[in-house]
Amino acid sequence: MAETFRQALLWHMERGNVGPSELAKGSGVSLDVIKKLRLGERPNSSTTPENALKIAAYFGLTLEAFMKTGETEPGSALADLAQLLTPQEEKLLAAQIRGLLAARGQQ
């Protein structure tokens, strides 16, 4: 588990081969904020909770999973993604999964 948000950010960017511009564009967090976090201009550089959530979501993770910076257990990646859904989206996804399982049973 990363000790700071900055450490987790660096780990995920390197692991995913994601550059600052790509992360800024995809997450909605300003490039300036991402650059400051990356460069660590301040000891224990961090960001606002809102920016942290946006960055974690860009990687398809909850903030808690983002901070773990380790390999996820099988199946936990899907659970982490499901936590990012709204209740309406969760119902839609559950219906789609039930449909897929029903179709599998008919084959």
Side-chain angles (χ1 to χ4, degrees):
M1 179 178 240
E3 291 183 22
T4 66
F5 184 81
R6 179 180 179 273
Q7 290 173 336
L9 175 65
L10 294 174
W11 188 87
H12 285 286
M13 288 179 73
E14 181 178 328
R15 182 172 182 241
N17 196 27
V18 176
S21 296
E22 181 183 349
L23 179 57
K25 190 177 204 178
S27 68
V29 176
S30 78
L31 182 58
D32 187 49
V33 167
I34 292 169
K35 284 182 177 180
K36 284 180 182 176
L37 279 169
R38 258 185 84 230
L39 297 175
E41 294 174 355
R42 295 173 286 144
N44 299 319
S45 292
S46 195
T47 189
T48 65
E50 180 182 359
N51 285 341
L53 289 169
K54 286 179 180 181
I55 290 170
Y58 171 83
F59 289 98
L61 300 168
T62 62
L63 190 52
E64 181 180 357
F66 182 84
M67 293 300 295
K68 287 184 182 175
T69 64
E71 294 300 317
T72 58
E73 296 175 19
S76 68
L78 184 58
D80 287 339
L81 287 172
Q83 291 180 25
L84 299 172
L85 299 174
T86 65
Q88 296 83 3
E89 292 166 339
E90 190 175 337
K91 288 178 186 177
L92 178 60
L93 180 60
Q96 290 172 332
I97 291 171
R98 284 193 291 274
L100 288 170
L101 294 174
R104 182 193 307 165
Q106 294 175 359
Q107 295 177 355

